[in-house]
């Protein structure tokens, strides 16, 4: 792979990698650092690229491993409080939309953030990024069964909380 | 899409039986805005997924910094060539300057020693040589004169030394 191919094929995945790293780290600067490191690793390992069937899933897996390493080195078991971290309302919605969806979105952000790490990652990979189960297996280094179980639990935990709001108006 | 189909898809979704295409259909549906009241919360969840995907790396210089760090080898070689070209240019200027200065010096001040020592006319050269040789010969003559005086003393001393033996 030459530099041009790298620029055209690998680099556009940066936002996906960034969002994934952000899910782990909860800090944009840290996430950016991780993405940078991922790209450098991918470039240095480009000779093995032809052995990799799905390079994007491969990149995502490196992102995951590096993010976990970083969490370990920061001795931070938990991501940062959601108020200061992944706030989807920032600059992604028009003012009109944000007034309308403000509360719902905030609640859902909290629900997802409250999920166990594996579930949170898997629901992100499937429902936000739209990866296939096989790709998720590869990224998370889990078998199909574990992926499905975790996704099922994640979706239903969120669903349960959503119905609770409906029932009790929380 | 009719609500029955959506109901069906949602049930499949909660059971993790939907395909990626079906999930995409759900996302599209909840984006449309005509959502029945009882599905508002579910809609919010799908909107959350949609909005989350818009989150992007907000850094214009990111690509370039990656590409720069990704191609350090080429950069180094270019730098090396560039630097050696600069050094070579410096040396070239210096050599040219020295050459010109020497050229100028030769023009304005013809080397004197060789011209003075060389006679174009062989007769003149012979005369000069003869003069020089004569000077040397004259000096030798002078030295011989002095040496003869020394010789006289020497002979005298020898004479004195001989006389007591005769007695």
């Amino acid at each position: 792979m030459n530099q041009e191919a790298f620029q055209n094929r690998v680099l556009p995945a940066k936002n996906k990698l960034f969002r994934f790293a952000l899910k782990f780290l909860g800090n944009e600067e840290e996430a950016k650092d991780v993405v940078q490191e991922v790209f450098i690793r991918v470039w240095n390992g480009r000779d093995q690229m032809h052995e990799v069937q799905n390079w994007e899933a491969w990149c995502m897996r490196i992102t995951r491993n590096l993010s976990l390493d970083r969490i370990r080195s920061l001795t931070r078991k938990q991501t940062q409080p959601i108020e200061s971290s992944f706030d989807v309302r920032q600059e992604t919605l028009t003012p009109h939309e944000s007034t309308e969806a403000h509360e719902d979105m905030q609640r859902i952000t909290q629900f997802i953030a409250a999920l166990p790490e594996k579930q949170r990652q898997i629901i992100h990979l499937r429902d936000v990024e739209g990866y296939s189960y096989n790709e998720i297996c590869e990224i998370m280094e889990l078998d199909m069964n574990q992926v499905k179980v975790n996704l099922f639990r994640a979706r239903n935990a969120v669903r349960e909380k959503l119905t609770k709001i409906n029932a009790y108006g929380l | 899409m009719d609500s029955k189909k959506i109901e069906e898809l949602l049930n499949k979704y909660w059971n993790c039986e939907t395909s990626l295409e079906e999930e995409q259909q759900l996302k599209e549906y909840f984006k449309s805005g005509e959502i029945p009241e009882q599905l508002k919360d579910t809609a919010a969840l799908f909107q959350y997924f949609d909005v989350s995907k818009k989150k992007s790396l907000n850094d214009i210089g990111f690509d370039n910094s990656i590409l720069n760090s990704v191609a350090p080898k080429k950069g180094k070689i270019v730098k090396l060539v560039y630097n050696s070209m600069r050094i070579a240019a410096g040396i070239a200027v210096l050599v040219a300057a020295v050459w010109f200065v020497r050229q100028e010096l030769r023009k304005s001040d013809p080397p004197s020693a060789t011209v003075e020592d060389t006679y174009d006319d062989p007769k003149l050269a012979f005369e000069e040589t003869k003069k020089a040789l004569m000077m040397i010969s004259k000096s030798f003559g002078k030295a011989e004169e002095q040496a003869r005086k020394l010789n006289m003393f020497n002979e005298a001393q020898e004479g004195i030394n001989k006389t007591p033996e005769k007695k």
Side-chain angles (χ1 to χ4, degrees):
Chain A
M1 185 176 57
N2 61 14
Q3 208 184 328
E4 203 186 323
F6 179 80
Q7 190 176 0
N8 294 332
R9 284 174 49 212
V10 181
L11 219 50
K14 66 178 177 181
N15 288 330
K16 277 187 183 177
L17 305 185
F18 175 66
R19 286 192 291 265
F20 195 41
L22 198 56
K23 279 274 156 189
F24 284 97
L25 298 160
N27 176 303
E28 293 200 10
E29 280 305 309
E30 298 271 354
K32 204 171 89 180
D33 280 357
V34 165
V35 176
Q36 209 150 0
E37 209 177 325
V38 170
F39 282 132
I40 288 163
R41 287 210 184 181
V42 168
W43 176 256
N44 291 337
R46 64 189 180 283
D47 297 335
Q48 302 142 34
M49 275 286 262
H50 58 270
E51 291 162 28
V52 180
Q53 298 218 320
N54 185 336
W55 62 266
E56 196 181 307
W58 186 53
C59 290
M60 289 291 269
R61 198 168 75 207
I62 300 174
T63 306
R64 178 174 167 270
N65 290 336
L66 288 180
S67 300
L68 290 174
D69 282 353
R70 192 157 287 221
I71 289 172
R72 244 171 260 142
S73 75
L74 293 169
T75 58
R76 221 190 326 167
K77 294 275 183 291
Q78 294 273 315
T79 51
Q80 288 189 344
I82 42 164
E83 294 89 56
S84 63
S85 64
F86 187 46
D87 193 347
V88 288
R89 290 167 298 130
Q90 292 171 351
E91 88 256 346
T92 44
L93 287 172
T94 66
H96 174 72
E97 281 174 319
S98 72
T99 346
E100 193 182 280
H102 181 92
E103 274 181 41
D104 282 344
M105 295 303 268
Q106 199 175 23
R107 267 198 219 111
I108 291 164
T109 310
Q110 281 171 359
F111 295 162
I112 304 257
L115 291 172
E117 193 180 280
K118 243 183 230 172
Q119 294 181 21
R120 196 172 60 208
Q121 302 306 337
I122 290 174
I123 201 171
H124 172 79
L125 290 172
R126 178 71 184 190
D127 287 334
V128 177
E129 304 293 0
Y131 281 111
S132 71
Y133 288 123
N134 278 326
E135 286 170 320
I136 297 171
C137 291
E138 204 178 313
I139 295 165
M140 297 294 289
E141 292 169 288
L142 293 172
D143 62 44
M144 184 65 84
N145 206 29
Q146 284 173 297
V147 168
K148 285 194 169 173
V149 165
N150 276 296
L151 182 65
F152 182 81
R153 285 184 188 154
R155 281 179 180 173
N156 282 281
V158 175
R159 184 191 190 186
E160 209 173 288
K161 282 177 176 163
L162 282 171
T163 27
K164 258 189 198 161
I165 304 172
N166 250 2
Y168 308 115
L170 282 171
Chain B
M1 219 184 299
D2 63 279
S3 55
K4 220 174 187 182
K5 178 91 190 289
I6 291 296
E7 240 6 274
E8 211 175 282
L9 274 182
L10 268 179
N11 269 334
K12 271 176 90 182
Y13 173 79
W14 297 120
N15 286 321
C16 298
E17 286 159 357
T18 39
S19 66
L20 281 173
E21 290 74 34
E22 288 168 328
E23 284 165 24
Q24 195 53 44
Q25 280 175 21
L26 282 172
K27 278 184 199 170
E28 292 299 324
Y29 170 74
F30 285 116
K31 239 198 274 183
S32 65
E34 296 153 20
I35 295 141
E37 194 55 42
Q38 74 269 19
L39 287 178
K40 275 273 191 296
D41 293 314
T42 318
L45 179 64
F46 280 90
Q47 279 153 12
Y48 165 84
F49 293 146
D50 203 48
V51 165
S52 293
K53 206 176 176 170
K54 284 179 188 143
K55 181 87 187 166
S56 62
L57 189 59
N58 248 337
D59 188 348
I60 308 157
F62 184 80
D63 283 16
N64 278 335
S65 80
I66 291 286
L67 289 173
N68 281 341
S69 55
V70 135
K73 270 186 186 168
K74 200 184 165 194
K76 262 183 196 164
I77 288 167
V78 166
K79 232 182 214 173
L80 199 76
V81 169
Y82 181 69
N83 280 341
S84 41
M85 292 285 265
R86 275 165 40 163
I87 292 166
I91 290 169
V93 166
L94 212 70
V95 166
V98 166
W99 188 75
F100 276 114
V101 167
R102 265 180 61 166
Q103 200 85 336
E104 282 303 307
L105 277 178
R106 274 187 189 163
K107 240 185 265 171
S108 63
D109 182 21
S112 47
T114 40
V115 175
E116 260 181 276
D117 281 352
T118 310
Y119 291 87
D120 289 329
D121 186 3
K123 238 182 188 171
L124 207 70
F126 178 67
E127 289 300 316
E128 275 302 310
T129 316
K130 226 164 105 181
K131 233 194 259 171
L133 286 175
M134 283 296 280
M135 192 182 81
I136 295 168
S137 134
K138 220 161 130 191
S139 302
F140 270 130
K142 240 186 220 169
E144 214 184 347
E145 214 170 282
Q146 301 300 323
R148 224 175 273 145
K149 278 180 194 169
L150 268 179
N151 221 17
M152 209 172 72
F153 279 112
N154 209 29
E155 275 170 10
Q157 202 179 15
E158 270 177 10
I160 293 164
N161 284 343
K162 270 177 189 168
T163 34
E165 273 174 37
K166 274 182 180 175
K167 270 185 180 177

